[in-house]
């Protein structure tokens, strides 16, 4: 992604601030002016979005869009380094914009405090030159990819899983897209989020920094970007591997948006009502009373082996296939590590006719 340098100039203060860029012949004043003129949308202001935003703001990208409808939670602070304890409860997009504005007063920050949907994706992305996917769910990844394909926008992708990460560039100069690499989403439960299984705190910083690097290369036209290549990071072994992949034939490319991305990815829509919850204290009282109870642990076997509170182990990914083995007329309490997987499992049971189902609030954290 290259363009001729804009006629706008750098002020004396900007020239001093970006002097280390200006010293690089590959970037220089022309490249810095391209950064100043660029408009980049970052989808997600969480673990990946924080380092992406910090480095793009520091580099002088002129307009940064911050898309996130969530608020800062204390559990975010282990890895989402833009935020402080005082930000807990604040909208992420606003808290991040305030911090970035203090970091670099020469850029324009545009918070977008809403969820990305098929109804607003094309209008929002049309106002930006490039999109960075820092989302944490497959429905958003496919939606962002498809909107970028429809609009002809390059997309810088990043993803994390426990100790592993991925980075690539999609839709660059008619290159491969996310669907070329992943034509179909994983089955529900096969790729749990970090809220369910955890993540090494520094991993988003590593992956996000690599994403920011690809953005700067795309905007300035230097180097070779990761189009058609997937960079795979193993943080435990500190190994980096590059896998090549090709674009699918043009006639097989998707040129419209899905009707329902949550349904396409097998995810419960955000508007689905949560399952009833029960506290750890209420569960203990129930067990002490002797009232019949079916207790289900939907974590993975290695988690169960480390610690459990009894009941039957049925990992979330296997629950749909085990429904016939479970009594639907017995009151059921489902638990996991934090309450995320148990909510999904409880809703699944309720959808299949189980009469009285509860999710253990906060999972084992309160037990």
């Amino acid at each position: 992604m290259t363009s001729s340098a804009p006629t706008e100039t750098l002020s004396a203060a900007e020239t001093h601030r970006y002097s280390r860029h200006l010293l690089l012949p590959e970037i220089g004043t022309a490249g810095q002016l391209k950064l100043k003129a660029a408009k980049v949308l970052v989808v997600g202001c969480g673990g990946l979005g924080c380092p992406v935003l910090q480095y793009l703001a520091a580099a002088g990208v002129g307009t940064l869009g911050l898309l996130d409808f969530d608020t800062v939670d204390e559990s975010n602070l282990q890895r989402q380094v833009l935020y402080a304890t005082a930000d807990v409860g604040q909208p992420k997009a606003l808290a991040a914009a305030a911090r970035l504005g203090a970091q670099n007063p020469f850029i324009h920050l545009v918070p977008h405090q809403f969820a990305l949907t098929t109804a607003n994706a094309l209008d929002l992305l049309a106002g930006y030159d490039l999109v960075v996917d820092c989302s944490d769910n497959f429905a958003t990844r496919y939606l962002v990819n498809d909107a970028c394909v429809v609009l002809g926008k390059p997309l810088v992708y990043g993803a994390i899983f426990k100790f592993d990460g991925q980075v690539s560039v999609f839709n660059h100069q008619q290159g491969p897209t996310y669907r070329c690499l992943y034509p179909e989403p994983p089955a529900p439960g096969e790729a749990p989020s970090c809220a369910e299984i955890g993540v090494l705190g520094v991993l988003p910083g590593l992956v996000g920094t690599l994403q920011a690097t690809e953005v700067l290369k795309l905007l300035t036209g230097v180097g070779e970007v990761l189009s058609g290549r997937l960079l795979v990071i193993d943080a435990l072994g500190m190994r980096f591997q590059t896998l090549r992949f090709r674009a699918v034939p043009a006639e097989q490319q998707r040129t419209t948006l899905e009707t329902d991305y949550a349904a396409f990815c097998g995810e419960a829509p955000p508007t689905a009502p949560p399952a009833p919850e029960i506290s750890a204290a209420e569960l203990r009282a129930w067990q002490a009373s002797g009232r019949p109870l079916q207790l289900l642990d939907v974590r993975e076997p290695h988690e169960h082996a480390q610690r459990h509170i009894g009941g039957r182990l049925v990992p979330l990914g296997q629950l749909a296939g085990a429904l016939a083995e479970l009594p639907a007329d017995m009151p059921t309490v489902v638990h996991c590590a934090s309450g995320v997987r148990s909510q999904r499992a409880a809703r699944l049971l309720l959808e299949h006719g189980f009469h009285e189902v509860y999710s253990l609030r906060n999972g084992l954290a309160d037990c």
Side-chain angles (χ1 to χ4, degrees):
M1 176 183 178
T2 60
S3 61
S4 59
T7 56
E8 189 175 7
T9 60
L10 299 173
S11 67
E14 289 174 307
T15 298
H16 182 65
R17 177 180 287 258
Y18 307 128
S19 60
R20 300 306 185 269
H21 270 177
L22 304 183
L23 290 171
L24 294 170
E26 296 85 351
I27 297 181
T29 300
Q32 192 63 47
L33 287 172
K34 291 177 183 178
L35 295 180
K36 184 176 181 177
K39 297 179 179 180
V40 175
L41 176 66
V42 178
V43 179
C45 300
L48 293 174
C50 283
V52 169
L53 286 165
Q54 283 177 296
Y55 274 108
L56 296 186
V61 173
T63 300
L64 287 174
L66 295 75
L67 176 63
D68 203 306
F69 65 89
D70 201 3
T71 58
V72 180
D73 184 82
E74 192 170 10
S75 65
N76 300 149
L77 303 181
Q78 166 249 16
R79 63 202 176 280
Q80 299 182 19
V81 293
L82 263 178
Y83 310 116
T85 303
D87 296 318
V88 171
Q90 299 301 310
K92 286 185 180 180
L94 294 183
R99 195 63 51 84
L100 296 170
Q103 176 184 346
N104 188 349
F106 299 109
I107 62 175
H108 182 46
L109 299 159
V110 186
H112 301 287
Q113 296 180 74
F114 50 79
L116 193 69
T117 67
T118 55
N120 62 31
L122 294 179
D123 286 341
L124 177 62
L125 271 61
Y128 291 90
D129 305 313
L130 183 153
V131 181
V132 190
D133 181 6
C134 298
S135 62
D136 61 359
N137 64 87
F138 289 98
T140 302
R141 288 172 188 159
Y142 279 97
L143 172 55
V144 171
N145 173 82
D146 294 353
C148 284
V149 171
V150 171
L151 295 169
K153 308 282 185 182
L155 172 63
V156 177
Y157 157 80
I160 54 176
F161 183 80
K162 297 176 70 173
F163 300 96
D164 302 327
Q166 297 182 352
V167 183
S168 191
V169 173
F170 300 126
N171 204 39
H172 173 55
Q173 297 177 346
Q174 289 75 54
T177 74
Y178 183 71
R179 285 183 183 264
C180 299
L181 183 63
Y182 298 114
E184 299 289 339
E190 287 186 358
S193 70
C194 65
E196 301 171 77
I197 59 170
V199 63
L200 183 66
V202 299
L203 181 64
L206 176 60
V207 174
T209 300
L210 292 170
Q211 287 180 275
T213 303
E214 292 302 297
V215 172
L216 296 180
K217 287 158 57 181
L218 283 162
L219 294 177
T220 59
V222 304
E224 180 185 358
V225 300
L226 282 169
S227 178
R229 296 183 293 149
L230 178 70
L231 180 63
V232 180
I233 301 116
D234 168 12
L236 283 182
M238 199 48 74
R239 298 183 182 92
F240 292 73
Q241 183 180 11
T242 302
L243 307 176
R244 293 189 175 274
F245 61 99
R246 297 180 179 178
V248 301
E251 61 271 16
Q252 298 179 25
Q253 292 277 8
R254 186 172 188 85
T255 57
T256 59
L257 302 189
E258 297 276 357
T259 302
D260 187 338
Y261 280 85
F264 171 68
C265 294
E267 301 173 0
T271 55
E277 291 187 327
I278 187 173
S279 69
E282 291 171 322
L283 174 61
R284 288 192 292 267
W286 190 339
Q287 292 173 315
S289 72
R291 180 186 168 196
L293 165 70
Q294 176 176 220
L295 182 62
L296 293 182
D297 183 347
V298 293
R299 298 175 300 158
E300 295 300 312
H302 70 275
E303 297 176 277
H304 181 83
Q306 292 175 356
R307 181 192 177 198
H308 65 84
I309 57 173
R312 177 171 179 172
L313 175 66
V314 185
L316 179 60
Q318 302 173 22
L319 182 59
L323 294 177
E325 305 171 14
L326 304 173
D329 56 351
M330 180 180 290
T332 302
V333 174
V334 189
H335 82 82
C336 62
S338 64
V340 176
R341 280 173 285 180
S342 62
Q343 264 291 335
R344 293 169 58 186
R347 288 197 298 267
L348 177 66
L349 295 177
L350 290 169
E351 290 168 1
H352 284 80
F354 282 66
H355 299 302
E356 187 178 355
V357 183
Y358 302 91
S359 170
L360 182 62
R361 186 183 305 120
N362 298 326
L364 293 184
D366 289 344
C367 291

